[in-house]
Amino acid sequence: KVTRDFREEIKSELIELKDGDLFEECAADLLRDAHPSISPRRGGGDSGIDGTIASENEPASFLIATT
């Protein structure tokens, strides 16, 4: 179970994170067990897309995080 203190610590660290590519890599790593084909979308100018999830039978899904 995630405690309130742990959530606050995560929020605090994310506020300090200035490297967008590092955020995208971290998010992809955290979701990879559930979505093995996930890949981060590095760089700016991508309308907020942080990653994609590929599928053989469907178009890619885009991950967007807004803060």
Side-chain angles (χ1 to χ4, degrees), residues 18-50:
K18 305 295 184 215
D19 184 338
D21 289 345
L22 185 58
F23 168 78
E24 292 164 355
E25 289 175 29
C26 177
D29 284 346
L30 291 170
L31 295 169
R32 190 158 285 115
D33 283 347
H35 304 282
S37 67
I38 193 170
S39 64
R41 180 109 173 234
R42 294 173 181 84
D46 56 15
S47 300
I49 298 172
D50 293 313

Side-chain angles (χ1 to χ4, degrees), residues 43-64:
D46 56 15
S47 300
I49 298 172
D50 293 313
T52 57
I53 298 174
S55 172
E56 288 183 27
N57 302 322
E58 297 181 22
S61 298
F62 297 108
L63 306 174
I64 300 173

